């Protein structure tokens, strides 16, 4: 449920670190051009907007007789879309934004041309590339988001798999398709969802976002400069070795790159090292341990405002047993290590085996500082353990104000419980716990193994959110009681798409809505010619409030891999709210969405 203040959402922790433009976008519809733009956090609740149109460079024509004060959208039903048009958004005669289209060139999405890397070979085998995860940030300080895209090779690997993986590239694009740079992460970064994460954020507060990620010898920045030794090859070439094709030796780095140019700004040794290789085992992933890089090369990452104001990069290594978090600040052009949390340290044993394939960040204990939750454990802003629930490793992870009757935030997750050991039989398949204390609110399915779960407000009859997973039916988040044995047919991402305050369901390349009256899922939107990411996980390249009003957009890649497409809802709005990017927890979620097993963003309220 949303708390309104002066017509705008009162965010629990507002984020004012970005000075965004209006993000105006137009989408052709059957009866005209649908226009949508951002409401900013500092806007008056009744700020009036007026829309003008110029056709073929003619005179400006005012389109709305009375100012728009209730929503941040407008449908122009009089435009001739076969002609070139330019729409101008004004308030009190001040130009705020413009949107143009060329005559007859009206697409139902924003098209961003991308440059697919050419096929390459490794160990005698050819591989190709596909557009994978994206993130956004204002790389050049103009108030508009740019897109950072990861190109994933067709032979990417999971950490336990032997064999060679191709390179991973990071590209940056403006929304008009202008390519800004390409970073080649090089042969010494093994490609895969568990290993290649990247953070896009304004870490130094100069109004321009940087890119932070793990690098290796031979990483090439956007200007051609090489990190470390350009000739080093730390991959295992011995076909008889259990680490064939893997990288279990050599230096590891963390680097920050300038957002506008891709130029490397600073590089430091990655914390922690991978050693000892057999020091990362534990519960989850079929349990056990190894000394072949299967456990040591499991990574996630996030951005957190650990002091309440400074964005820190928090790099996570290890999921199933030992888990290490290292926090870094980027100040005056230099990466500075802040703290390290290591579950292998004496007294922290209860934090081992508690990390997910995902991560979430929020001010869980309401002290003004962000904490990092990596699943069944949370690390406080100062690098000390806040709590461990003992619920063990899992995949899906959601944090938000799911139970309004309770104070603060709650965390919903599902858990892997492979094996027959007694303590595994006591672990739940699904649980809800208090984000500040770790108190388990409810749990179910002792000993069962569940890989996916979602928490979202999809039924208006009950206060707060609902949740569902592979075990049981649709539940109330408040107490876990089952509403119905039926549940949505997807258990993946959520999205704000239509005009109400409920969330919709995003899965592969379709958007659906749960009809609580007849207990079925109904398709709302399914574009043609696009593909989803990450195999059966069916993720978009990115979903979030990227453009337009407070509702969310989706980025998918075209089937032919020549473009990214940003889709925006054309359902007329019924209210106005500040951009969701104004909510600190939500903005940080967009930064970590691409890491490991992608998860959808949630608001703090």
């Amino acid at each position: 449920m949303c708390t309104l203040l002066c017509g705008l959402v009162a965010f629990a922790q507002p984020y004012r670190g970005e000075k965004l433009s209006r993000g105006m976008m137009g989408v052709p519809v059957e009866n005209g051009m649908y226009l949508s733009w951002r409401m900013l956090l500092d806007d008056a609740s009744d700020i009036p907007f007026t829309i003008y149109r110029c056709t073929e460079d003619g005179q400006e024509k005012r389109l709305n007789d009375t100012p728009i004060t209730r929503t941040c959208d407008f449908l122009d039903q009089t435009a001739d879309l076969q002609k070139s048009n330019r729409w101008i958004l004004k308030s009190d005669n001040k130009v705020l934004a413009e949107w143009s289209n060329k005559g007859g060139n009206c697409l139902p999405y924003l098209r961003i041309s991308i440059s697919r890397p050419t096929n390459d070979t490794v160990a005698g085998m050819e591989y190709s590339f596909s557009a994978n995860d994206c993130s956004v940030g204002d790389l050049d300080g103009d108030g508009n988001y740019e897109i950072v895209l990861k190109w994933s090779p067709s032979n990417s690997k999971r950490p336990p798999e032997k064999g060679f993986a191709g390179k991973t590239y990071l590209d940056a694009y403006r929304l008009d398709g202008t390519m800004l740079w390409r970073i080649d992460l090089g042969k010494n970064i093994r490609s895969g969802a568990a290993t290649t994460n990247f953070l896009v954020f304004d870490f130094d507060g100069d109004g321009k976002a940087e890119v932070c990620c793990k690098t290796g010898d031979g990483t090439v920045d956007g200007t051609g400069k090489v990190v470390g030794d350009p000739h080093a090859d730390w991959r295992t070439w011995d076909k008889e070795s259990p680490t064939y094709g893997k990288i279990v030796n050599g230096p590891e780095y963390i680097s920050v790159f300038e957002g506008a140019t891709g130029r490397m700004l600073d590089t430091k040794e990655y914390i922690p090292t991978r050693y000892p290789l057999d020091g990362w085992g534990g519960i989850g992933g079929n349990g056990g341990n190894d000394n072949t890089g299967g456990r040591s090369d499991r990574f996630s990452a996030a951005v957190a405002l650990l002091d309440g104001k400074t964005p820190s990069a928090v790099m996570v290594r290890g999921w199933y047993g030992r888990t290490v978090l290292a926090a870094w600040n980027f100040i005056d052009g230099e990466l500075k290590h802040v703290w390290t949390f290591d579950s292998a340290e004496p007294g922290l044993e209860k934090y081992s085996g508690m990390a997910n394939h995902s991560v979430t960040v929020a001010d869980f204990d309401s002290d003004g500082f962000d904490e990092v939750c990596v699943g069944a454990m949370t690390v406080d802003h100062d690098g000390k353990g806040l709590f461990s629930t003992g619920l063990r490793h899992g995949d899906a992870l959601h944090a938000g104000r799911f139970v309004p009757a309770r104070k603060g935030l709650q965390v919903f997750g599902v858990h892997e419980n492979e094996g027959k050991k007694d303590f595994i039989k006591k672990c739940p398949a699904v649980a809800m716990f208090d984000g500040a204390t770790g108190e388990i609110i409810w749990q179910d399915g002792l000993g069962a193994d569940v890989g996916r779960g979602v928490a979202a407000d999809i039924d208006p009859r009950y206060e707060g959110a609902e949740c569902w997973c592979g075990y049981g039916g649709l539940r109330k988040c408040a107490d876990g009681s089952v509403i119905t044995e039926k549940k949505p047919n997807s258990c993946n991402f959520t999205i704000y798409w239509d005009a109400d305050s409920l969330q919709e369901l995003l899965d592969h390349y379709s958007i659906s809505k749960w009809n609580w009256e007849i207990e079925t899922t109904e398709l709302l939107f399914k574009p043609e010619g696009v593909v989803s990411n990450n195999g059966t996980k069916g993720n978009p390249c990115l979903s979030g409030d990227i453009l337009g009003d407070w509702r969310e957009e989706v980025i998918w890649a075209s089937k032919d891999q020549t473009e990214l497409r940003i889709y925006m809802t054309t359902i007329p709005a019924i209210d106005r709210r500040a951009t969701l990017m104004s909510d600190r927890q939500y903005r940080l979620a967009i930064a970590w969405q691409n890491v490991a097993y992608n998860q959808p963003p949630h608001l703090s309220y």
Side-chain angles (χ1 to χ4, degrees):
M1 291 197 175
C2 299
T3 302
L4 298 182
L5 176 63
C6 299
L8 295 181
V9 172
F11 298 117
Q13 286 285 349
Y15 180 65
R16 300 180 182 273
E18 293 175 302
K19 294 182 179 179
L20 295 176
S21 69
R22 292 290 167 174
M24 188 174 181
M25 180 174 167
V27 179
V29 293
E30 185 176 351
N31 55 341
M33 179 67 77
Y34 177 80
L35 302 163
S36 180
W37 58 91
R38 285 192 189 105
M39 191 87 169
L40 302 177
L41 190 61
D42 294 329
D43 285 338
S45 61
D46 59 350
I47 180 174
F49 295 109
T50 304
I51 300 289
Y52 295 80
R53 185 187 68 236
C54 289
T55 301
E56 303 288 0
D57 295 324
Q59 294 294 315
E60 289 185 4
K61 178 182 178 181
R62 179 169 173 157
L63 301 181
N64 53 304
D65 294 330
T66 59
I68 303 167
T69 57
R70 186 182 178 190
T71 68
C72 289
D73 67 343
F74 180 79
L75 176 60
D76 180 0
Q77 296 179 286
T78 61
D80 182 351
L81 300 186
Q82 296 305 310
K83 296 181 179 181
S84 294
N85 294 283
R86 179 168 55 93
W87 289 269
I88 306 102
L89 175 69
K90 295 184 181 182
S91 182
D92 296 329
N93 292 319
K94 180 181 179 182
V95 175
L96 301 180
E98 295 185 357
W99 174 263
S100 301
N101 80 284
K102 295 181 179 179
N105 186 27
C106 292
L107 297 171
Y109 52 84
L110 180 60
R111 177 182 183 272
I112 301 170
S113 297
I114 54 178
S115 179
R116 188 180 193 179
T118 56
N119 292 4
D120 205 344
T121 59
V122 61
M125 300 294 291
E126 185 178 19
Y127 62 91
S128 59
F129 291 90
S130 59
N132 193 248
D133 298 329
C134 290
S135 192
V136 294
D138 183 2
L139 302 181
D140 54 15
D142 65 354
N144 299 312
Y145 284 131
E146 282 75 43
I147 296 175
V148 177
L149 164 68
K150 178 174 78 173
W151 288 101
S152 181
S154 56
N155 59 352
S156 66
K157 295 288 191 292
R158 295 183 299 107
E161 290 183 288
K162 293 172 60 175
F164 284 85
K167 293 182 179 181
T168 299
Y169 294 98
L170 298 177
D171 286 0
Y173 297 92
R174 290 196 174 102
L175 295 183
D176 64 2
T178 301
M179 184 175 177
L180 297 177
W181 46 258
R182 170 168 289 168
I183 294 171
D184 176 358
L185 291 181
K187 65 173 80 72
N188 292 307
I189 293 293
R190 199 167 190 241
S191 299
T195 53
T196 309
N197 310 307
F198 60 100
L199 302 174
V200 182
F201 216 81
D202 181 7
F203 289 102
D204 60 3
D206 67 350
K208 301 178 182 180
E210 291 79 37
V211 178
C212 180
C213 64
K214 185 173 181 285
T215 56
D217 280 338
T219 294
V220 183
D221 76 2
T223 68
K225 182 180 179 180
V226 179
V227 176
D229 183 351
H231 305 295
D233 185 348
W234 296 104
R235 298 170 295 181
T236 302
W237 286 88
D238 180 4
K239 291 185 178 181
E240 303 304 316
S241 171
T243 63
Y244 174 65
K246 297 184 181 184
I247 304 165
V248 295
N249 292 293
E252 300 171 280
Y253 310 114
I254 177 176
S255 297
V256 172
F257 301 90
E258 186 175 53
T261 65
R263 176 173 63 96
M264 185 190 69
L265 299 175
D266 193 31
T267 293
K268 290 289 192 296
E269 182 181 6
Y270 190 88
I271 297 174
T273 68
R274 56 174 67 91
Y275 307 112
L277 287 180
D278 61 356
W280 298 89
I283 306 305
N286 295 313
N289 199 359
D290 64 58
N291 60 1
T292 61
R295 294 291 184 266
S296 63
D297 277 18
R298 304 274 183 165
F299 300 92
S300 60
V303 179
L305 278 62
L306 300 172
D307 63 358
K309 58 183 179 180
T310 306
S312 299
V314 181
M315 314 304 282
V316 184
R317 186 173 208 157
W319 298 344
Y320 299 133
R322 180 188 178 198
T323 297
V324 183
L325 287 75
W328 298 83
N329 286 347
F330 181 66
I331 300 174
D332 297 328
E334 184 180 358
L335 275 164
K336 298 182 179 180
H337 178 241
V338 180
W339 50 251
T340 297
F341 173 91
D342 189 342
S343 71
E345 293 182 359
L348 299 179
E349 292 83 1
K350 65 181 180 180
Y351 290 91
S352 290
M354 300 295 160
N356 275 31
H357 297 282
S358 51
V359 62
T360 188
V361 175
D363 179 11
F364 287 106
D365 56 8
S366 301
D367 60 0
F369 310 129
D370 288 332
E371 288 75 45
V372 183
C373 175
V374 296
M377 57 169 279
T378 295
V379 175
D380 209 348
H381 66 276
D382 57 3
K384 299 178 180 179
L386 186 64
F387 62 78
S388 172
T389 64
L391 294 176
R392 301 288 175 178
H393 159 84
D395 289 358
L397 179 66
H398 303 267
R401 191 78 189 278
F402 300 137
V403 187
R406 293 183 64 95
K407 180 181 178 181
L409 303 170
Q410 297 78 46
V411 181
F412 171 77
V414 295
H415 304 277
E416 285 188 6
N417 291 316
E418 310 104 324
K420 298 180 180 180
K421 295 182 179 179
D422 288 340
F423 69 83
I424 291 179
K425 294 178 182 178
K426 298 177 182 178
C427 293
V430 56
M432 182 80 66
F433 63 85
D434 187 282
T437 66
E439 174 195 354
I440 297 174
I441 301 170
W442 58 265
Q443 62 182 21
D444 197 11
L446 295 181
D449 179 70
V450 175
R452 294 192 183 190
V454 178
D457 188 4
I458 62 173
D459 190 329
R461 298 173 297 178
Y462 307 100
E463 185 178 29
E466 293 71 48
C467 56
W468 64 101
C469 66
Y471 182 91
L474 181 65
R475 305 170 184 264
K476 297 178 185 178
C477 280
D479 57 12
S481 60
V482 176
I483 297 170
T484 171
E485 293 298 333
K486 297 180 180 180
K487 53 192 172 185
N489 62 7
S490 71
C491 198
N492 197 356
F493 268 49
T494 62
I495 186 171
Y496 290 104
W497 186 259
D498 64 13
D500 64 29
S501 60
L502 300 175
Q503 289 164 277
E504 285 67 57
L505 312 170
L506 171 59
D507 185 45
H508 287 271
Y509 44 89
S510 69
I511 295 174
S512 303
K513 191 174 186 69
W514 175 248
N515 186 326
W516 61 90
E517 295 178 318
I518 60 175
E519 298 182 348
T520 189
T521 307
E522 298 177 341
L523 182 67
L524 294 181
F525 178 73
K526 188 172 185 178
E528 296 181 354
V530 299
V531 292
S532 58
N533 285 344
N534 304 320
T536 59
K537 293 179 176 58
N539 308 135
C541 295
L542 185 74
S543 72
D545 186 10
I546 303 163
L547 293 164
D549 71 4
W550 64 273
R551 293 166 297 174
E552 295 174 291
E553 288 69 53
V554 190
I555 303 178
W556 285 293
S558 61
K559 285 184 178 179
D560 63 7
Q561 300 290 294
T562 62
E563 62 188 36
L564 298 176
R565 299 178 181 179
I566 303 180
Y567 289 87
M568 180 179 76
T569 185
T570 58
I571 299 172
I574 59 175
D575 66 357
R576 55 167 50 173
R577 308 180 192 184
T579 171
L580 302 188
M581 292 295 208
S582 300
D583 181 52
R584 187 164 105 189
Q585 179 180 327
Y586 183 92
R587 181 63 187 91
L588 297 175
I590 298 301
W592 57 246
Q593 187 180 134
N594 72 82
V595 308
Y597 290 4
N598 304 12
Q599 301 288 286
H602 291 285
L603 293 157
S604 65
Y605 58 88

